[in-house]
Amino acid sequence: MNMGILGLVPSLTPTRPAHFDIERVIRPNILALHPYRCARDDYSSGILLDANENALGHSIAKPETKKPSSNKLQLNGGDDFQLDTDLDPILALDLHRYPDPSHPKIKSRIAEIRGLPSPDHVFLGVGSDEVIDLLMRVCVAPGSEKILITPPTYGMYAVCAQVNDVGIVKVNLELSASSGEGGDKGRFSLRVDEVKKAIDGDQSIKLIFLCSPGNPTGTLISLASIRTILDYEPFKGIVVIDEAYIDFSEPGSSAVTLIAEYANLCVMQTLSKSFGLAAIRLGIALAQPPLIQILTNTKAPYNVSTPAAHLALRALSPESLSSMRKNIETLKASRAALLSEFHDLKNLGLGHTIGAQDANFILIPVLARDSSGLDNVRAHRVYKTLAEEEGVVVRYRGGEPGCLGCLRITVGTEVENAVALKKLKKTLERL
C-alpha cells in the first residue's frame, strides 16, 4: 500500500512484530485523509482574529451577593452547585478561545508517569469511549470487518460496533470450575487458544478488545497471554487493552510496558477512576507514534475542552499524584474490609466473590434463599429494592456470561460502605 501516514516522521526502526503493518490495518480512506486544520494549529498568540471567536470574552456573570438561595444551581437532578469564587480559576481561563488541539503538557506528563519515551506515544480523547469509537472508525470497514471481544466485558465495545456497523466475534472468558452452583469463588481467565481459533476462522477481525482489569470481572489478563496474541502471526490487526482500573492492581501489571516492543498494541487508560475525575471525560490512548498520529488525524478538532485540560494538568502534578495514590490505598483497604463483611452475609444467601480483586469494585453473586444455587431473580429483586427503597444503587450484572446472579458493587467512602452493608443485610433478610 505504502501510502504513508500524514504528519508522521518516517522512522528507520524495524516494526515489531514483523507480521504487522499498520498501513494494512488502517482503512484506505483514513490513510488518505487530510485532517481539518485548526486555527490554533498554526498560531496561538497575538491578536487572534482568525477563528471567529467572541473577542469580548465569556458571559458568565459573577453573583452580586453571597446568599445561598441566589447562588446555587441545580445540576444532575437536584445536586447543589455553588456559583461563587470557587469558579474563579476556571473563569479566568480563555474560555472564549478554542482550546489547544494538542495539549502537549498533558501528554508529556502522562508519558513521564507511564514510562513512555515521548508525548508522541499519547492520544487524548473525550473519555475512553471516544478512543474506542475512533479505533473502530479508522481500522474496521463497516459491513464487512469485525472486532473480537471477551464477555463478560465493558458494554461500550458492542455498542460502538453496532453504531459503526461492525461485526462482533465473541470468545467468552473462562470461569474456573470452582465457581459451582453453590456460589464458590471462581476466577475468570482469557482462553488464548480459543482467541487464536477465532482469528484462524475469521480473517476479517481487525481489533481485539481486552479489558484488564476486567469490567465486571475485576481480573487482570496476564502479560504473557497478551504477548501470545500480539505475537500470533495470523492476526494482522491491533490488540487494544482497556486499563481503566489498572491503578488499583499490583504495580508492574500494565501492558504499557509492552508498547516499546509491539506496534500492534494500544493501551487505553482514563482519569475517571483512580484520579477521581469522571466528570471531565478525559480518556487516554497509549501506543507507538504511527497509531497515535492516525488517531490525531481523525479526531474532532478541539475534542478536549480548556477546563478539562486545566483540571487534568493539575491532577497530573506530583502533589496530586501523591494524593491519588493515598486514595487508592484507602479504597483498597476498604475493598478488603467489604470482602470480609460480605463473607459474614453468606448465611443470608450472599455467595463468595467471583473474579479477582484488581479494581475498585466487587462482583458478588446472590444465591437462592436456601443457598441452593445462584439466583438471578432474587439478585434482580435485591438490586431493585436497594435502589428504589433503600437509596443504595449497585449494578445488576446477572445477564452477562459467567455472572449469573451477580451484583457489581463499587467501593464507596467509609460511611457509604457502612450504610450499603446495613441496607444490603436488611434487604437479604426480607427477600
Side-chain angles (χ1 to χ4, degrees):
M1 188 179 298
N2 297 321
M3 294 179 65
I5 298 172
L6 190 65
L8 181 69
V9 177
S11 172
L12 298 178
T13 304
T15 299
R16 293 178 294 177
H19 65 262
F20 178 73
D21 180 356
I22 191 170
E23 291 189 37
R24 295 187 179 275
V25 178
I26 304 303
R27 295 167 58 196
N29 60 306
I30 300 298
L31 280 175
L33 177 70
H34 283 258
Y36 175 79
R37 291 292 299 173
C38 301
R40 296 291 81 82
D41 281 335
D42 297 318
Y43 305 103
S44 59
S45 62
I47 298 177
L48 301 175
L49 304 178
D50 57 343
N52 300 336
E53 300 152 329
N54 188 329
L56 300 184
H58 66 74
S59 302
I60 301 175
K62 287 189 176 182
E64 295 181 2
T65 67
K66 291 295 180 182
K67 294 179 182 179
S69 60
S70 62
N71 291 345
K72 287 187 177 181
L73 300 176
Q74 294 291 312
L75 299 177
N76 297 328
D79 292 341
D80 286 334
F81 178 76
Q82 187 71 40
L83 185 63
D84 57 17
T85 54
D86 291 343
L87 272 179
D88 285 354
I90 298 297
L91 296 180
L93 300 173
D94 288 335
L95 299 181
H96 63 303
R97 300 294 184 191
Y98 286 110
D100 184 335
S102 57
H103 301 289
K105 291 181 180 179
I106 297 176
K107 292 178 181 179
S108 293
R109 279 296 292 153
I110 291 171
E112 179 183 355
I113 292 165
R114 299 307 187 189
L116 293 168
S118 73
D120 294 339
H121 291 71
V122 182
F123 173 83
L124 304 178
V126 183
S128 295
D129 295 336
E130 182 183 19
V131 178
I132 294 167
D133 183 66
L134 267 180
L135 284 167
M136 290 191 199
R137 286 197 282 135
V138 303
C139 296
V140 192
S144 61
E145 294 180 332
K146 301 172 184 176
I147 66 167
L148 185 149
I149 63 174
T150 58
T153 192
Y154 182 44
M156 278 303 293
Y157 310 143
V159 171
C160 282
Q162 185 170 351
V163 168
N164 287 288
D165 192 21
V166 164
I168 303 174
V169 175
K170 298 179 181 180
V171 177
N172 290 358
L173 296 175
E174 182 175 23
L175 184 59
S176 60
S178 62
S179 98
E181 286 299 310
D184 295 332
K185 184 174 181 179
R187 286 297 185 98
F188 289 93
S189 60
L190 181 66
R191 298 189 295 164
V192 176
D193 288 342
E194 294 301 314
V195 172
K196 288 182 177 180
K197 287 180 184 178
I199 293 168
D200 293 340
D202 196 335
Q203 296 299 309
S204 71
I205 297 172
K206 299 292 286 296
L207 297 173
I208 296 175
F209 284 93
L210 302 176
C211 197
S212 178
N215 176 9
T217 69
T219 305
L220 278 167
I221 295 173
S222 72
L223 295 183
S225 294
I226 294 170
R227 276 184 179 276
T228 299
I229 299 173
L230 290 167
D231 284 328
Y232 192 53
E233 194 275 337
F235 180 58
K236 309 301 184 183
I238 294 170
V239 179
V240 184
I241 311 297
D242 188 342
E243 292 189 345
Y245 303 94
I246 195 64
D247 291 323
F248 297 100
S249 61
E250 291 302 311
S253 54
S254 173
V256 170
T257 58
L258 305 179
I259 287 175
E261 191 174 346
Y262 292 98
N264 55 342
L265 172 65
C266 179
V267 178
M268 298 191 304
Q269 296 184 353
T270 179
L271 297 193
S272 294
K273 311 299 181 182
S274 58
F275 286 86
L277 287 172
I280 74 169
R281 307 302 300 128
L282 192 76
I284 302 161
L286 307 171
Q288 290 190 14
L291 180 58
I292 296 301
Q293 187 64 55
I294 287 288
L295 294 174
T296 301
N297 290 350
T298 314
K299 75 175 182 68
Y302 305 103
N303 60 331
V304 177
S305 74
T306 295
H310 173 79
L311 293 169
L313 197 55
R314 288 284 300 275
L316 295 167
S317 70
E319 297 80 8
S320 296
L321 283 176
S322 176
S323 176
M324 179 268 279
R325 288 168 182 144
K326 288 179 182 177
N327 285 343
I328 287 174
E329 293 308 310
T330 298
L331 288 169
K332 289 168 72 172
S334 295
R335 183 179 66 193
L338 274 176
L339 288 169
S340 177
E341 296 283 357
F342 287 154
H343 180 74
D344 294 340
L345 297 180
K346 63 181 180 180
N347 62 317
L348 297 176
L350 197 65
H352 294 288
T353 56
I354 291 180
Q357 309 306 325
D358 293 311
N360 68 333
F361 56 82
I362 295 168
L363 185 67
I364 193 160
V366 175
L367 310 180
R369 190 63 188 266
D370 61 1
S371 297
S372 59
L374 305 174
D375 191 333
N376 245 4
V377 174
R378 186 175 184 228
H380 195 266
R381 289 177 64 200
V382 169
Y383 155 71
K384 293 279 286 184
T385 301
L386 281 173
E388 296 175 5
E389 299 181 24
E390 302 296 341
V392 175
V393 183
V394 299
R395 202 76 183 264
Y396 171 74
R397 280 293 176 254
E400 299 185 38
C403 299
L404 184 66
C406 282
L407 303 177
R408 192 193 70 195
I409 302 176
T410 305
V411 179
T413 65
E414 186 176 349
V415 172
E416 288 173 335
N417 293 339
V419 173
L421 281 166
K422 180 180 177 181
K423 300 288 189 180
L424 177 60
K425 181 179 179 182
K426 175 184 175 183
T427 301
L428 290 170
E429 289 172 339
R430 288 177 51 195
L431 301 177

